[in-house]
Amino acid sequence: MRRHSPSTWDKARGQGPGADWSTLRTLFPYLWPPDEPGLRLRVVVAMVFLAAAKGITVMVPLLYKQAVDALTTRPDTTIIVVPLALLLAYGAVRTLSGAFAELRDIVFVKVAQRAIRSVGLSVFQHLHRLGLRFHLERQTGGVSRSIERGTKGIEFLLNFMLFNILPTLLEIGLVTAVLWSLYDASFALIAAGTILVYVAFTLSVTEWRTKYRRTMNETDSEASTKAIDSLLNFETVKYFCNEEHEAGRYDKALQRYEGAATKSKVTLSLLNIGQGAIIAIGLTLVMIQAARGVADHSMTLGDFVLVNAYLVQLYMPLNFLGFIYREIKQSLTDMESMFRLLRENAEIEDAATARPLALAGGEVRFEDVSFGYDPDRQILNGVTFTVPAGRTVAIVGPSGAGKSTISRLLFRFYDVQGGAIRIDGQDIRAVTQASLRAAIGIVPQDTVLFNDSIRYNIAYGRPGAGQDEIETAARLASIHDFIVSLPQGYETRVGERGLKLSGGEKQRVAIARTILKSPAILIFDEATSALDTHTEKEIQVSLREVSRDRTTLIVAHRLSTVVDADEILVLEQGRIVERGRHGQLIEADGRYAAMWRKQQEAADLQERLALV
Ligand SMILES: Nc1ncnc2c1ncn2[C@@H]1O[C@H](COP(=O)(O)OP(=O)(O)OP(=O)(O)O)[C@@H](O)[C@H]1O
Ligand SMILES: [Mg+2]
């Protein structure tokens, strides 16, 4: 079995053996989508605009030079026509080169945004496919940040790889070729040499300071995970007056961030100083060469201007090279960590031959089921029982016995390690998960609601259900009257995770939701544990109504709620230690009978106290 440890996974982000350029390959299919010829066309057109923009950019200094030459060789001329025409052409070409660059963006933006959307969606869908185990072991904050950073990374990468690095390389090539063909080879050599030195210097320094950047990201993640966790536990913090302690923990993370951010900034400035020096030296050398050319008349003033214009034009985009290189590597790392989520294997997957569950009554059978969440701790041992179609079986037993585990296994959140679970004779590992889960409804032990209206949360049981169906379900769950008594009725918002409702109200919303789903098989895991005896009795009546003719598994602590079950299983430490109907178990005078007596005594006492 695969095990994930949160710490190694969280560390993996921003670490790894440096950015892996092969990540780009993962991105490629999204940029060249096979079934979207329109997007592919856009890519091609964008590339044409890119080439056009750069071709024109290289012409700008040439026109500039001719204008200067026209002015300097015939300074006394009254015919200003030639230079004027040249200057107009110069202006037009400049405008065009900018326009082409923008056109390229306009055409390409849809491709980039579509890629971001597709990647984001696949990751999201994949996260829902991954097992419960994955989600219990992950920090939600970390995963969502990973997606956020990953998609930002894609955007950055596309913008800069395609529209900065690629055009700049093209321009360097073109300019070197023009210089080479027009003048002495030394111009092209110095210009290209300077760029080489510059690039080598920038990349190596950037590589060196990446570690500060990485620490910065890590500490940033750490701080935000701490903040989220602390705020999620808002109430707990207050119960224990631990605000100081929380602030201290948060500040420690912030302090580490502060240190890393400072180092990062200082080293960036060092990099900038070095870059500036290299460019200045290259530029000076070339201009000295040009000045010598003008002095010995092998070059005109226009040539001098041309060389200068070319170099400034070339070196300008290099200013951002360090930043871009680092960000590209960072983007690659971010993307990699997002794509790693995509490669994370789903623990539970449909078998290749999986077929939809063929329901016929909904008989549930556990055959000698053994299971443990971890290999070194067995939770269920040889559990065997059958819930005949339409019947009700109750599971009772001490806390931690494995009762909820049985319902998780039936839902196939985990696979059993021994034995089998069958519904109408079909092993649940042989049917599709969607059809399996559609057939089962559960009122879980801890209900968590979506941060939306009560209506939304009930309707979640069957999206598209009408208002009358929602109300009927709410009535059966004895919550309708409460809901309409609220100022906003069914539109009342329940707060994050449903925390604005009381435990019993939440439970009844969950019951209504499951009633609306109306599945063939029902599981009630302590579905009424948070209710007072009166409300519980009321609901019991409707639950009995709802579960008539449905296969029902009830987990309960309060034994009075299960006396009518067709069979009662007493589970202890993952084993069924007693089984039978209520009467038989009482007669047998074993564990169940003892539990029953204890609860009866407590109930009697309560009644007597109530009378006093
Ligand atoms: N995801 C998990 N990973 C590891 N152990 C788990 C996990 N979930 C539950 N357990 C353990 O499995 C055992 C059985 O848990 P289960 O939730 O089935 O108990 P239960 O019978 O429903 O108890 P209760 O009556 O308190 O709800 C417990 O000891 C629990 O600590
Ligand atoms: Mg439980």
Side-chain angles (χ1 to χ4, degrees):
M1 188 189 310
R2 268 188 79 171
R3 300 276 298 115
H4 323 267
S5 125
S7 56
T8 53
W9 185 83
D10 286 339
K11 261 191 250 148
R13 144 146 240 296
Q15 273 199 347
D20 188 354
W21 296 93
S22 67
T23 307
L24 278 180
R25 244 181 294 149
T26 326
L27 190 58
F28 186 76
Y30 292 99
L31 292 178
W32 193 244
D35 42 1
E36 298 254 20
L39 290 183
R40 285 185 166 191
L41 182 67
R42 279 173 184 273
V43 176
V44 174
V45 174
M47 289 302 138
V48 171
F49 280 139
L50 186 157
K54 277 304 149 192
I56 290 179
T57 312
V58 173
M59 283 171 59
V60 174
L62 282 173
L63 285 168
Y64 192 42
K65 161 199 146 62
Q66 289 185 1
V68 172
D69 280 346
L71 286 171
T72 50
T73 51
R74 283 180 292 168
D76 52 343
T77 181
T78 46
I79 313 164
I80 199 81
V81 179
V82 176
L84 186 64
L86 283 168
L87 285 175
L88 284 179
Y90 169 80
V93 163
R94 264 196 96 95
T95 315
L96 269 183
S97 108
F100 273 129
E102 291 305 323
L103 281 175
R104 175 201 69 194
D105 280 3
I106 291 174
V107 174
F108 194 75
V109 63
K110 202 172 164 116
V111 182
Q113 291 304 328
R114 178 62 60 81
I116 290 168
R117 174 179 149 200
S118 310
V119 174
L121 184 64
S122 343
V123 176
F124 180 76
Q125 287 174 325
H126 189 72
L127 284 176
H128 269 299
R129 259 197 303 275
L130 291 175
L132 183 62
R133 188 189 304 276
F134 173 89
H135 288 281
L136 291 180
E137 290 182 2
R138 288 292 172 277
Q139 294 203 301
T140 315
V143 172
S144 73
R145 267 185 99 76
S146 179
I147 300 182
E148 193 184 309
R149 283 215 181 103
T151 44
K152 282 240 178 68
I154 294 179
E155 191 159 13
F156 186 90
L157 204 72
L158 292 182
N159 276 332
F160 283 87
M161 278 301 257
L162 292 176
F163 298 146
N164 191 297
I165 302 285
L166 204 62
T168 305
L169 287 178
L170 189 66
E171 189 172 349
I172 290 175
L174 284 175
V175 168
T176 317
V178 169
L179 287 180
W180 193 288
S181 65
L182 287 183
Y183 313 112
D184 193 272
S186 62
F187 286 99
L189 288 179
I190 298 176
T194 308
I195 291 174
L196 273 183
V197 173
Y198 182 96
V199 169
F201 171 78
T202 305
L203 299 196
S204 58
V205 172
T206 304
E207 199 64 57
W208 163 70
R209 54 185 293 273
T210 297
K211 57 176 178 286
Y212 301 117
R213 213 29 227 198
R214 201 174 284 153
T215 323
M216 215 170 118
N217 272 339
E218 271 165 21
T219 45
D220 176 42
S221 268
E222 191 188 327
S224 81
T225 317
K226 287 230 168 81
I228 290 174
D229 195 39
S230 173
L231 292 176
L232 280 181
N233 281 299
F234 180 80
E235 283 177 272
T236 317
V237 174
K238 292 276 172 261
Y239 291 151
F240 296 98
C241 290
N242 274 345
E243 289 93 337
E244 285 286 325
H245 167 77
E246 290 295 323
R249 264 161 57 93
Y250 185 49
D251 190 42
K252 255 201 207 109
L254 287 181
Q255 193 185 353
R256 277 196 287 275
Y257 178 79
E258 178 190 322
T262 311
K263 283 205 187 96
S264 171
K265 174 65 193 137
V266 171
T267 52
L268 176 65
S269 295
L270 291 179
L271 175 67
N272 287 341
I273 293 175
Q275 287 174 330
I278 293 173
I279 294 225
I281 292 171
L283 203 58
T284 314
L285 284 177
V286 171
M287 294 324 292
I288 289 175
Q289 278 292 93
R292 278 182 22 203
V294 175
D296 64 17
H297 299 294
S298 63
M299 287 170 93
T300 63
L301 254 189
D303 291 320
F304 185 86
V305 172
L306 173 75
V307 169
N308 182 274
Y310 266 146
L311 292 185
V312 171
Q313 192 169 308
L314 261 196
Y315 292 160
M316 198 94 90
L318 291 183
N319 268 333
F320 302 102
L321 185 67
F323 164 75
I324 290 168
Y325 175 71
R326 195 193 59 228
E327 286 302 317
I328 283 182
K329 285 195 70 173
Q330 186 58 49
S331 300
L332 284 173
T333 322
D334 287 346
M335 270 166 56
E336 175 55 27
S337 110
M338 183 175 67
F339 284 132
R340 200 172 7 230
L341 285 178
L342 264 183
R343 282 194 297 270
E344 189 82 42
N345 283 327
E347 184 183 337
I348 306 291
E349 278 190 289
D350 282 349
T353 55
R355 271 183 296 173
L357 177 70
L359 265 181
E363 180 202 64
V364 172
R365 184 180 300 159
F366 274 58
E367 287 171 359
D368 198 24
V369 167
S370 303
F371 173 76
Y373 293 97
D374 300 308
D376 48 357
R377 187 174 164 223
Q378 192 81 354
I379 304 289
L380 295 180
N381 294 293
V383 171
T384 300
F385 67 88
T386 305
V387 194
R391 294 305 176 85
T392 299
V393 165
I395 306 177
V396 301
S399 179
K403 304 182 295 294
S404 301
T405 304
I406 287 180
S407 65
R408 278 178 219 127
L409 291 180
L410 186 56
F411 256 94
R412 206 172 161 222
F413 280 155
Y414 302 89
D415 273 336
V416 299
Q417 276 126 32
I421 302 173
R422 293 181 199 282
I423 293 179
D424 287 332
Q426 303 148 74
D427 192 318
I428 59 170
R429 283 167 294 192
V431 301
T432 60
Q433 294 170 69
S435 68
L436 169 71
R437 293 183 187 140
I440 312 174
I442 184 171
V443 180
Q445 194 165 13
D446 304 300
T447 301
V448 177
L449 300 180
F450 291 99
N451 188 0
D452 207 303
S453 64
I454 294 186
R455 176 205 308 285
Y456 177 86
N457 274 289
I458 296 181
Y460 203 81
R462 181 151 47 86
Q467 175 64 16
D468 47 336
E469 292 171 296
I470 293 177
E471 277 181 24
T472 311
R475 277 207 183 86
L476 281 170
S478 306
I479 183 119
H480 175 76
D481 293 341
F482 161 75
I483 297 174
V484 292
S485 78
L486 294 171
Q488 266 135 21
Y490 276 88
E491 300 310 323
T492 308
R493 301 193 60 98
V494 301
E496 193 158 0
R497 295 149 64 82
L499 287 176
K500 283 191 188 167
L501 295 183
S502 79
E505 286 155 6
K506 244 189 329 202
Q507 245 176 7
R508 280 177 285 166
V509 169
I511 292 174
R513 179 165 81 178
T514 307
I515 290 177
L516 195 61
K517 181 175 178 182
S518 180
I521 301 167
L522 283 167
I523 307 174
F524 297 117
D525 191 348
E526 305 275 7
T528 53
S529 60
L531 301 179
D532 59 274
T533 339
H534 174 70
T535 321
E536 181 170 36
K537 288 231 169 75
E538 202 178 295
I539 290 195
Q540 286 299 332
V541 177
S542 22
L543 286 191
R544 218 162 289 149
E545 187 68 29
V546 173
S547 58
R548 195 207 314 272
D549 302 330
R550 292 176 210 266
T551 311
T552 311
L553 201 58
I554 301 180
V555 174
H557 269 299
R558 227 173 287 170
L559 301 183
S560 57
T561 58
V562 301
V563 289
D564 293 332
D566 295 298
E567 188 178 31
I568 298 169
L569 312 172
V570 182
L571 195 70
E572 254 185 48
Q573 301 194 339
R575 281 176 216 281
I576 297 178
V577 292
E578 274 179 35
R579 63 202 309 163
R581 293 186 72 96
H582 174 73
Q584 297 166 329
L585 290 173
I586 295 289
E587 220 158 88
D589 201 22
R591 287 187 175 79
Y592 180 85
M595 280 194 286
W596 176 259
R597 273 196 302 275
K598 225 180 257 166
Q599 289 195 1
Q600 283 310 102
E601 276 162 27
D604 283 350
L605 188 67
Q606 233 175 8
E607 224 156 272
R608 252 177 286 145
L609 282 178
L611 283 178
V612 170

